[in-house]
Amino acid sequence: MPPVLTPATGFITFAGPDAWSHLRSLGWYGAARPEGVACLFATDDIAGSKQAADTLRRIASKRWPRLKVIVPGETSANTADAFARRFADWKTFHPELKAWVIDATAATLPVRVAMAAAVLAEPAVTLISRERDGSWSQLIRDPASGKAVAGSIEPPPADVLDGGPLTDLLEPFCHGVAEIRWRESRAPLALTVDEVARMVAAGVPTNWNWREMVAAATGAPCRESDYDLRDFLATTLQALGVPHVRINVHIAWTSLREDPLRLDVAVCRNGRLYVFDCQTAEENTLTPQAADSVRAIFSQMDVTGIVLRPNRWTTGAERTLSSLAPSACLLDADACRQLFSRLGALLDIPVPRVLREAERTALRFGGRRLPVLSAASDAQRVGAAMKVDERIYDVWRGSHVDDPSTDWPWRAARVTADRWFIQGRIMQGGSADELRRRLATRFSAERVPVEIRFFEVSSNHRYWHALLAVPGDPQVFPRWLRKWEKVPLVI
């Protein structure tokens, strides 16, 4: 386990250029000793060290406001003597601290020598460090032999940064280049996992109308006028137990005349920042200058970018490039069918059974190839409705999807170049033979060369069906039908 922190324990970290890497140990100390003393050793000899120390100080002032963070006004040299003098000063100014924990993760070899000497000189000093493989070790003095003893320890908790607003983490890394417009963002709609599953079940019937899906899941109207995929994703993350999820976090530039960058969904999980882009249309176009600023900000953080594109399939090149970048993830139309499982794997979250079942049912992949999590076009919906099986088509269902209204007088489908199927509404009653004679009379009066090969009345006596042979130019009959678009063919 990590070293025991008593009220009389101080904390020191060597501020390397990677400020985010120090937040885990600093957060561990700040959470355990909220009124403690944390000292940051910055050096002029390493680029970014002083800026990292200032970033850590600003984050600590928000997350752990009672923690006293000491950043010397003048940076030190990157030498063992400089650290030894600075350590002696901190002990002098804080005699109440009887023990010290030093995080040497980013320390250079000369300073590590001085830190190790401090361990040998005083039994109340513990040196901790994160190794290249992610494990943590410590160096302490053995009271019996007086020698330094190294050993592995449990790492500080990974979730020490997860429990507060994201603005506390994002703003200090902007360094005046940009500002976080927090008020323009919003928190997700709070739903249970069962309600999220009911939302997904309502997706296909409503053609992924998000507001209708919320109403179907909760039994109450959706109050968010622009509830969409971003909101659903944030709602899902919160239902899975991820706190402080934010939607529409804007990063506005202080000197560039560019539109703000919008982070559709952002969350911190286990000390890592996750940023989601959910745009089905191309937005957030950045100029080269703005793109450079984005890279400068996010290169300082441990961040994973996830791109959701439920309305299209990725190319082979996109999948290859995504697999080569461990901090990037691209979820296309197929991957979104396992959205909950993918989120669970990415963020190390257990996925409840009800959501896994939703993947097997409402998000399942079928021969229809209709998109999930995004509305299907009319052509896609009609095509899916018409397809019963391989080489089997349902014209009737397809027509009802294309035009679900009830005020049409007839519908027609071309079966072959000279064969047509027509469904008409029975307006004045009559037997099948009588209705067939009326239809034949209409064709004869209009001088349309049509032969009725089959005619029937539906079992509910509301519609008639006819199969027609129409020889000659295949364009003549549809032109004639368009003249009678709103008029019954059988009166």
Side-chain angles (χ1 to χ4, degrees):
M1 60 183 298
V4 177
L5 299 177
T6 68
T9 302
F11 178 79
I12 300 172
T13 188
F14 184 99
D18 183 7
W20 191 277
S21 66
H22 304 306
L23 285 172
R24 188 165 179 175
S25 59
L26 179 61
W28 160 69
Y29 178 80
R33 298 268 70 87
E35 297 183 354
V37 177
C39 305
L40 308 183
F41 184 81
T43 172
D44 283 324
D45 300 340
I46 298 179
S49 176
K50 187 174 182 179
Q51 186 181 60
D54 182 65
T55 300
L56 294 172
R57 178 190 59 79
R58 294 177 60 195
I59 293 173
S61 68
K62 296 289 187 179
R63 284 295 177 92
W64 311 284
R66 292 180 295 163
L67 180 67
K68 186 173 183 180
V69 179
I70 300 175
V71 181
E74 296 182 358
T75 52
S76 304
N78 184 29
T79 64
D81 289 342
F83 176 80
R85 289 193 299 270
R86 189 68 74 188
F87 186 30
D89 290 342
W90 287 331
K91 289 189 293 182
T92 299
F93 290 123
H94 293 280
E96 75 280 5
L97 300 177
K98 307 301 181 183
W100 293 86
V101 172
I102 304 175
D103 183 357
T105 298
T108 59
L109 182 58
V111 177
R112 278 187 178 239
V113 170
M115 292 175 173
V119 171
L120 288 171
E122 303 181 39
V125 174
T126 301
L127 197 65
I128 64 173
S129 178
R130 186 183 69 253
E131 307 302 331
R132 290 180 179 272
D133 62 358
S135 64
W136 286 73
S137 62
Q138 72 173 7
L139 188 70
I140 59 175
R141 177 183 169 184
D142 181 19
S145 64
K147 296 181 179 180
V149 178
S152 60
I153 59 172
E154 292 183 11
D159 60 355
V160 291
L161 300 180
D162 302 354
L166 276 178
T167 186
D168 297 349
L169 298 176
L170 297 181
E171 192 77 59
F173 284 97
C174 292
H175 300 299
V177 174
E179 61 179 8
I180 306 298
R181 292 185 179 174
W182 195 245
R183 293 183 180 179
E184 298 181 15
S185 69
R186 62 179 181 268
L189 178 66
L191 297 181
T192 65
V193 291
D194 290 331
E195 289 172 325
V196 171
R198 288 201 293 270
M199 274 191 70
V200 174
V204 171
T206 64
N207 196 23
W208 300 97
N209 183 308
W210 296 104
R211 300 184 75 246
E212 291 183 16
M213 291 162 61
V214 171
T218 63
C222 178
R223 296 182 179 180
E224 293 286 349
S225 60
D226 58 345
Y227 193 98
D228 58 14
L229 176 60
R230 297 166 294 176
D231 295 86
F232 172 74
L233 175 62
T235 293
T236 299
L237 291 173
Q238 181 165 283
L240 289 172
V242 180
H244 302 288
V245 185
R246 296 301 295 188
I247 305 164
N248 289 348
V249 179
H250 287 76
I251 300 179
W253 318 111
T254 54
S255 58
L256 297 178
R257 294 183 178 180
E258 305 288 346
D259 292 334
L261 171 68
R262 186 181 72 192
L263 310 180
D264 289 330
V265 178
V267 66
C268 187
R269 169 73 177 173
N270 286 336
R272 176 182 285 266
L273 182 66
Y274 292 88
V275 176
F276 295 83
D277 181 273
C278 309
Q279 299 306 313
T280 54
E282 291 302 323
E283 296 184 19
N284 277 339
T285 302
L286 298 177
T287 64
Q289 281 184 306
D292 289 341
S293 297
V294 171
R295 283 189 286 269
I297 293 173
F298 285 107
S299 64
Q300 308 169 71
M301 308 177 193
D302 190 1
V303 59
T304 294
I306 302 101
V307 176
L308 268 68
R309 292 295 182 266
N311 61 330
R312 73 175 181 88
W313 285 271
T314 55
T315 65
E318 287 173 328
R319 289 192 295 271
T320 300
L321 291 174
S322 178
S323 66
L324 295 176
S327 60
C329 179
L330 180 58
L331 303 182
D332 67 355
D334 285 342
C336 283
R337 296 181 184 275
Q338 297 88 38
L339 177 65
F340 306 122
S341 298
R342 295 297 185 103
L343 291 177
L346 277 170
L347 278 73
D348 191 23
I349 310 171
V351 180
R353 175 185 291 182
V354 66
L355 295 185
R356 292 192 182 277
E357 183 63 26
E359 291 179 339
R360 290 191 290 269
T361 54
L363 297 181
R364 70 185 186 280
F365 179 82
R368 300 176 179 181
R369 294 188 71 83
L370 281 178
V372 297
L373 306 181
S374 64
S377 66
D378 290 341
Q380 288 173 315
R381 297 185 71 202
V382 172
M386 289 182 64
K387 192 72 177 291
V388 176
D389 204 341
E390 293 298 325
R391 297 180 298 282
I392 303 176
Y393 300 90
D394 192 328
V395 176
W396 184 84
R397 287 182 62 240
S399 66
H400 278 267
V401 170
D402 181 60
D403 180 14
S405 63
T406 58
D407 58 353
W408 47 269
W410 54 265
R411 286 186 169 123
R414 177 183 285 163
V415 181
T416 65
D418 59 351
R419 292 291 186 274
W420 284 78
F421 170 81
I422 296 183
Q423 177 188 43
R425 190 180 298 277
I426 298 177
M427 311 303 293
Q428 298 182 11
S431 66
D433 289 341
E434 181 181 353
L435 293 171
R436 178 172 182 156
R437 283 194 299 271
R438 292 181 195 171
L439 180 62
T441 300
R442 167 61 60 83
F443 290 144
S444 176
E446 294 291 326
R447 297 182 180 180
V448 180
V450 173
E451 180 183 350
I452 302 175
R453 293 291 183 88
F454 174 81
F455 190 94
E456 71 170 4
V457 174
S458 64
S459 58
N460 60 8
H461 294 279
R462 296 175 59 187
Y463 307 100
W464 56 265
H465 305 139
L467 185 63
L468 312 176
V470 186
D473 186 349
Q475 301 302 320
V476 172
F477 189 61
R479 283 199 298 266
W480 179 84
L481 282 175
R482 279 195 289 271
K483 293 177 12 181
W484 304 91
E485 181 178 355
K486 298 181 179 180
V487 179
L489 296 180
V490 175
I491 301 176

